[in-house]
């Protein structure tokens, strides 16, 4: 929220995250080979194929997150401490809490640490220097490039992981009856991931 005593630069126009989310969902369904979101539920998709495709989507999404989250967060921190822009949460596709956590994680490695504050532009900039916040040339441009990629990757990941959970659950039951080891080997993921996904799916279905 804007604070008294601080002069803010113009609000940065946010990308159309609603459209990005819709496009991400369509892409996931296409990559999974599904025509509709409920195709797995009505068993129009084979879970042994689906679990592999879902794992591939997760791997790609994780790679994009690893590549771009840092760029997004460094740009956010620069704009918070040095250029003093408002509306950064919306610009980044985050909640008000989420964007503060992103900056705190960058500064302290702990998303729950409170951010340094100041009652003037100069005090905020000083706090940024004291916490070694990197100055980013063209930070607005970098934020607008990185944030939509991160948002899309996280959206694809959130959607795909649910399908993976359902596929893992289906494979662990009859007529498949696969063990977690077999599912993990088939999907190319660690065994503990399979256990976690199966547990989450079971809880969702009240099992």
């Amino acid at each position: 929220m804007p604070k008294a005593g601080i002069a803010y630069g113009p609000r940065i126009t946010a990308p159309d995250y609603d459209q990005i989310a819709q496009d991400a969902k369509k892409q996931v369904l296409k990559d999974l080979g599904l025509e509709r979101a409920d195709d797995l539920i009505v068993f129009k998709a084979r879970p042994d194929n689906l679990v592999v495709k879902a794992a591939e989507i997760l791997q790609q999404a994780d790679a994009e997150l690893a590549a771009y989250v840092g760029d997004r967060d460094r740009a956010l921190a620069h704009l918070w401490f040095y250029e003093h822009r408002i509306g950064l949460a919306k610009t980044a596709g985050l909640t008000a809490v989420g964007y503060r956590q992103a900056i705190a994680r960058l500064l302290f490695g702990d998303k729950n640490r409170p951010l340094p504050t100041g009652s003037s532009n100069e005090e905020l900039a000083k706090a940024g220097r004291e916490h070694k916040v990197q100055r980013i040339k063209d930070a607005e441009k970098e934020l607008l490039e990185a944030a939509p990629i991160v948002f899309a990757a996280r959206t694809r990941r959130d959607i795909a992981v649910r399908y993976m959970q359902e596929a893992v659950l289906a494979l662990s039951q009859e007529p498949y009856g696969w063990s977690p080891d077999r599912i993990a080997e088939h999907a190319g993921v660690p065994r503990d991931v399979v256990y976690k996904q199966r547990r989450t799916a079971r809880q969702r279905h009240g099992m």
Side-chain angles (χ1 to χ4, degrees), residues 30-63:
K30 179 181 178 181
D31 291 345
L32 291 175
L34 302 177
E35 294 181 4
R36 301 184 308 166
D38 62 352
D39 277 352
L40 172 64
I41 308 303
V42 296
F43 294 101
K44 291 184 178 180
R46 286 182 50 174
D48 54 336
N49 291 334
L50 203 63
V51 74
V52 173
K53 294 176 181 178
E56 291 172 350
I57 294 172
L58 294 179
Q59 184 179 28
Q60 177 62 33
D62 285 342

Side-chain angles (χ1 to χ4, degrees), residues 181-192:
D181 284 335
R182 182 177 178 184
I183 298 173
E185 182 178 0
H186 181 73
V189 299
R191 184 178 62 176
D192 60 343

Side-chain angles (χ1 to χ4, degrees), residues 1 80 87-90 93-103 115:
M1 294 179 59
W80 170 255
L88 290 176
K90 184 176 181 181
L94 295 166
T95 64
V97 173
Y99 101 94
R100 287 177 172 272
Q101 289 180 335
I103 298 176
L115 292 181

